[in-house]
Amino acid sequence: EVQLVESGGGLVQPGGSLRLSCAASGFTFSSYEMGWVRQAPGKGLEWVSYITSSGDNKYYGDSVKGRFTISRDNAKNSLHLQMNSLRAEDTAVYYCAKDHGVGAWDFDDWGQGTLVTVSS
Amino acid sequence: SYELTQPPSVSVSPGQTASITCFGDKLGDKYACWYQQKPGQSPVLVIYEDTKRPSRIPERFSGSNSGNTATLTISGTQAMDEADYYCQAWDSSTSHVVFGGGTKLTVL
C-alpha cells in the first residue's frame, strides 16, 4: 500500500523559511516522479512543484518560482520542499503526491497534507 | 499561461447522470484527468488520460475529452459522490501542471 506522510508544516512569520518533508513507502520511490500541490483554506488546488524520478529536472509554479526548491533523496525515500521568503498567500495545506506513471504529470496517490500558516 | 475553466457548481438528483465540464484552449490535444475531493480529505484520482479509470474507482465514473472541453460523467449518481471535482492537465509548452477551479457537485 502506497503511503505518503508529510511533515514540517507550522506557523511562520512573513519572510521566513520552512522545509517540508514527505516520507514515501509501499512503492519503488526512485522510479516515480513526485510533486507538491497546495490548497489555501476554502480554495481550490494549486500546483506547486514537480521533480523527475532521478531528481535531475525540477519544475515550479509561477507563484513560487525563485522562492521554493524541490528535492528528493531516493536512498531515504523522501521528498522535500524548501520554502523561503514566505508570504501570507502561501498559507495552505501542502500535499505530497505521486505521479501516476512515468512522466504522466497526474497524481494517483496523495498524502494527508501538512498545514503551513504564514502570519505575524 | 494556460487556464482551465469549470462551473462552480452542479446539482443532480440521486440516480441521475451528472456532467461536469472543463474548458481549455485545445484541451483535446492534451490529456485531462479528474480528481474528487470530499471535505477534510485528500484528492482522489478518478479519471486519467481522458477516459481511463483507476481500478478502485466505480464504473459509474467516465470521462471524455475533445476540442476545447473535457467532461466528467457520473452515471447513477449516489449521495456518496457529493464532493468537489477538479480537472487537471499538463501544459507541455511550459511544463506546468494546471488545475481547474473546481466544481462542487451537490446530490439532492
Side-chain angles (χ1 to χ4, degrees):
Chain A
E1 178 193 4
V2 171
Q3 283 202 322
L4 300 169
V5 180
E6 300 95 338
S7 60
L11 176 64
V12 61
Q13 291 188 339
S17 299
L18 213 55
R19 186 178 191 240
L20 305 184
S21 296
C22 172
S25 61
F27 65 103
T28 305
F29 181 73
S30 60
S31 297
Y32 288 87
E33 281 72 34
M34 299 290 295
W36 289 97
V37 177
R38 70 184 182 183
Q39 187 169 35
K43 303 297 184 182
L45 302 175
E46 180 188 10
W47 172 67
V48 173
S49 187
Y50 184 90
I51 187 169
T52 55
S53 57
S54 64
D56 288 346
N57 294 296
K58 305 172 185 182
Y59 306 90
Y60 300 94
D62 292 341
S63 62
V64 307
K65 193 169 186 178
R67 300 187 298 124
F68 290 11
T69 302
I70 191 172
S71 63
R72 65 190 297 160
D73 185 338
N74 285 344
K76 295 184 178 180
N77 290 347
S78 60
L79 178 72
H80 305 283
L81 185 69
Q82 177 67 42
M83 305 185 296
N84 298 331
S85 303
L86 284 162
R87 307 166 180 166
E89 53 265 36
D90 295 317
T91 294
V93 172
Y94 285 73
Y95 295 101
C96 162
K98 169 185 160 291
D99 195 311
H100 175 234
V102 178
W105 293 86
D106 55 32
F107 306 108
D108 64 344
D109 286 284
W110 298 61
Q112 84 288 350
T114 187
L115 177 62
V116 172
T117 303
V118 184
S119 174
S120 54
Chain B
S1 60
Y2 194 76
E3 294 185 357
L4 295 175
T5 301
Q6 299 179 234
S9 62
V10 168
S11 297
V12 64
S13 299
Q16 298 304 302
T17 296
S19 294
I20 300 173
T21 57
C22 175
F23 176 88
D25 184 49
K26 298 180 181 179
L27 180 56
D29 292 344
K30 310 176 189 300
Y31 276 137
C33 66
W34 292 89
Y35 301 91
Q36 175 194 68
Q37 186 180 34
K38 296 181 179 179
Q41 299 184 17
S42 302
V44 173
L45 182 69
V46 294
I47 293 290
Y48 66 98
E49 292 180 6
D50 297 338
T51 62
K52 297 178 181 178
R53 191 171 31 82
S55 57
R56 58 192 169 187
I57 302 303
E59 289 185 7
R60 63 180 181 274
F61 288 85
S62 63
S64 64
N65 186 16
S66 179
N68 296 318
T69 305
T71 303
L72 172 68
T73 302
I74 309 173
S75 304
T77 307
Q78 301 181 9
M80 69 173 66
D81 300 329
E82 190 164 282
D84 293 326
Y85 290 86
Y86 297 89
C87 61
Q88 182 236 297
W90 175 56
D91 181 12
S92 59
S93 66
T94 58
S95 291
H96 276 39
V97 171
V98 181
F99 285 97
T103 298
K104 181 177 181 59
L105 177 68
T106 300
V107 182
L108 42 66

